Amino acid sequence: MNDTILIVDDDRAIAGLIEIYLVNEGYEVVKAFDGAEALERLARKDIRLVILDVMMPGLDGLEVCRQIRADQTVPILMLSAKAEDMDKIMGLMTGADDYLTKPFNPLELLARVRSLIRRAYGLNPKANRGRGADIMTFDGLEIDKGTHSVTMDGKPVHLTSIEFGILHMLASQPGRVFSAEAIYERVWNEPYSPTFTTVMVHISKLRDKLEKDSGQKWIHTVWGVGYKFDR
């Protein structure tokens, strides 16, 4: 069964254009033209990725993203005509996995869709289940690569695929400092962007989720160098 992608954009022409490219790549497509309709589609169908426009009347993309993130980790690629760093930071802080500025190159859109889906669903949980080497534990924090899951004192910590990728990378080598460039190129699997805000924002969200209940700081900033995981 092909992956189903939800396109959310009040501009029907843009939604239709994106649909053509995705269908040609073999994806199934569901469309919604406002925020409320998008949430309804998500509740009724198994959606593997959401392409979400920011500027919509009524329930805008940021609010839709917040509501999705309240109980789902489905990958979200946010689209916006706003290119300022602050707009990108707002989108990422709200819970988006990636951010693409309009007008965009359709080939770049497809590349980002493939990358997000691969990161989120590329692992086969059943094939890896029970393999001890896939599980790392640190004082109540358990990171399971096989099932792409994280628990803190037995309670699940809901991470997006990007957040999990960053955490797994840092925790695999405790104490080692990774630059923002190294993190981006290994987790996003594409050349580093000149701006570092994407990595910074995802690190911030990841820290909030890990430290919310435990009160323990796991990810540390080494100023001018990068980030490291310490027990």
Side-chain angles (χ1 to χ4, degrees):
M1 183 177 177
N2 295 334
D3 291 320
T4 300
I5 296 175
L6 172 62
I7 302 170
V8 188
D9 199 315
D10 63 316
D11 188 324
R12 292 173 182 261
I14 291 178
L17 182 62
I18 296 173
E19 178 183 25
I20 290 171
Y21 284 103
L22 293 175
V23 169
N24 286 340
E25 286 291 304
Y27 296 107
E28 293 187 11
V29 169
V30 175
K31 291 182 291 184
F33 303 110
D34 61 55
E37 186 181 11
L39 295 173
E40 181 185 349
R41 293 278 190 271
L42 271 167
R44 292 167 49 189
K45 194 167 179 66
D46 180 21
I47 301 297
R48 303 283 273 181
L49 181 138
V50 179
I51 297 176
L52 178 62
D53 184 41
V54 174
M55 302 297 291
M56 293 187 296
L59 212 60
D60 67 13
L62 294 175
E63 181 57 31
V64 172
C65 188
R66 288 189 190 98
Q67 293 196 30
I68 293 173
R69 282 290 171 259
D71 59 6
Q72 296 188 52
T73 59
V74 59
I76 298 174
L77 172 59
M78 194 165 275
L79 302 180
S80 177
K82 296 183 177 181
E84 297 297 323
D85 278 350
M86 201 61 215
D87 297 312
K88 296 179 181 180
I89 290 172
M90 279 295 296
L92 295 171
M93 286 298 290
T94 305
D97 294 273
D98 206 351
Y99 189 105
L100 193 57
T101 303
K102 295 179 179 179
F104 51 82
N105 184 324
L107 295 179
E108 182 179 3
L109 174 72
L110 291 174
R112 295 194 183 209
V113 165
R114 286 192 293 266
S115 180
L116 285 169
I117 289 178
R118 183 175 63 250
R119 279 197 299 270
Y121 311 109
L123 295 171
N124 182 344
K126 292 183 179 178
N128 289 295
R129 196 179 300 279
R131 292 172 56 194
D134 285 338
I135 300 176
M136 296 182 288
T137 57
F138 308 93
D139 299 329
L141 175 66
E142 182 174 289
I143 306 165
D144 190 334
K145 180 181 178 182
T147 59
H148 237 237
S149 61
V150 174
T151 59
M152 180 73 71
D153 296 327
K155 299 178 181 178
V157 180
H158 299 291
L159 303 183
T160 67
S161 59
I162 293 285
E163 292 163 353
F164 182 89
I166 293 172
L167 176 61
H168 188 272
M169 175 184 174
L170 296 178
S172 295
Q173 299 184 60
R176 176 179 170 180
V177 180
F178 290 90
S179 67
E181 179 177 356
I183 293 171
Y184 189 91
E185 292 185 346
R186 286 178 60 174
V187 175
W188 275 258
N189 195 30
E190 60 184 55
Y192 181 64
S193 169
T195 174
F196 66 91
T197 53
T198 297
V199 173
M200 179 185 70
V201 170
H202 283 288
I203 290 281
S204 176
K205 293 285 287 184
L206 178 57
R207 278 176 169 155
D208 287 345
K209 291 180 180 181
L210 291 178
E211 298 169 15
K212 180 179 179 181
D213 295 322
S214 70
Q216 185 169 348
K217 188 170 183 177
W218 299 95
I219 298 175
H220 303 262
T221 300
V222 181
W223 295 107
V225 184
Y227 304 93
K228 68 177 180 176
F229 179 93
D230 265 338
R231 309 181 188 199

